[in-house]
Amino acid sequence: MPLIIKDEYPEVLFREDGKRLDGREKNELRPIKMEVGVIKNADGSAYLEWGDNKIFAAVYGPREVHPHHLAKPDRGILRVFYRMATFSVFDRKRPAPGRREKEISMIISDCIEPILFLELYPGTSFEVFIEVINADGGTRCASTTVAALALADAGIPMKSLVSAVAVGKIDGKIVVDLSGIEDKAGEADLPCAITWYNKEISLLQFDGDMDLNEMSEFLDLAKDALGRIHQIQLEVLKSKFLTIQEKSDEIIVNKENQGES
Ligand code: CDP
């Protein structure tokens, strides 16, 4: 049987018609679908499909801190656990959390912490568990985005949502939302996140080669994409609350009808 090597990189990342290998324009996001309230056992939860990324986030809190010695007397703490399932990538990913998962957990925590009012919850913890079921580039950004949605679903007071996306450079051109293959075969990858209450960048990482003059082009493209991602997050939350409102209106009408008969 021939050995299958799935991770071979293509030599060019644009098609003859000028589109990217998956048919996207340079500023086009992969299809994004989000849902909230998907995990019954969590205080809040969300699921996201972003291209071929499939990610769950479950939130608990405020609750007692375990282990106790991590508790802070003057504020709550935020703990984020980003995990990639062994079957989420082609290569054999070790089941135990590695250095990459610890780093990404820390990054996501840094992105989310500014939007919470941790000072109002001394001695407690908020925990965010993120499970990447399928990975295809940009999972730290997709995880940050879905984690913010799960926190909102839990009803935890927040200053705003946070949204994240990676911009990058492939075949010398600046593009938004790198797929797995573009991430690996491209020249540069710049994941960034924004907190909407103050419109500040809460994550800016960089990997690869970039001319400093290109930075503003990168950020303009990211800003536009982040706005579109934020809209999707808001629509998902609005539709959750509209459904609750419709159900409660229905209950009130039913009670009124019962009272009349
Ligand atoms: O996912 P993200 O872009 O935030 O992080 P990365 O470390 O730059 O990884 C880029 C992509 O490489 C991931 O999204 C996965 O698709 C892939 N990957 C993999 O195939 N095997 C791993 N052990 C880790 C990542």
Side-chain angles (χ1 to χ4, degrees), residues 59-163:
V59 166
Y60 296 86
R63 68 175 180 182
E64 201 180 340
V65 184
H66 288 289
H68 288 303
H69 72 266
L70 293 177
K72 292 197 175 153
D74 57 339
R75 64 199 309 267
I77 60 164
L78 171 67
R79 303 180 75 202
V80 175
F81 303 89
Y82 162 100
R83 299 283 181 268
M84 240 173 48
T86 306
F87 50 80
S88 66
V89 287
F90 178 71
D91 55 324
R92 185 191 175 274
K93 194 219 147 261
R94 286 158 60 99
R99 192 198 54 79
R100 178 179 170 276
E101 281 158 308
K102 286 183 191 150
E103 181 215 327
I104 295 182
S105 301
M106 192 189 76
I107 287 163
I108 298 172
S109 175
D110 288 349
C111 285
I112 288 172
E113 200 169 316
I115 60 171
L116 299 177
F117 296 91
L118 292 178
E119 66 282 6
L120 299 182
Y121 300 92
T124 69
S125 75
F126 293 90
E127 290 175 324
V128 182
F129 297 93
I130 296 163
E131 297 291 337
V132 179
I133 303 304
N134 204 70
D136 187 32
T139 61
R140 75 195 60 209
C141 294
S143 298
T144 304
T145 304
V146 71
L149 210 51
L151 284 161
D153 182 56
I156 291 166
M158 291 158 76
K159 294 173 198 167
S160 72
L161 288 166
V162 56
S163 317

Side-chain angles (χ1 to χ4, degrees), residues 14-42:
F14 281 94
R15 307 189 314 202
E16 278 182 6
D17 63 3
K19 293 191 174 170
R20 291 151 76 177
L21 293 182
D22 55 13
R24 283 185 291 153
E25 302 289 349
K26 292 200 281 285
N27 64 350
E28 196 175 336
L29 293 165
R30 291 172 284 179
I32 300 179
K33 201 177 90 185
M34 303 185 204
E35 232 181 293
V36 289
V38 290
I39 298 168
K40 221 172 115 195
N41 294 325

Side-chain angles (χ1 to χ4, degrees), residues 242-255:
L242 281 177
T243 312
I244 293 173
Q245 195 178 2
E246 277 166 18
K247 279 192 185 149
S248 67
D249 287 349
E250 218 172 279
I251 291 169
I252 292 167
V253 170
N254 284 344
K255 281 206 169 146

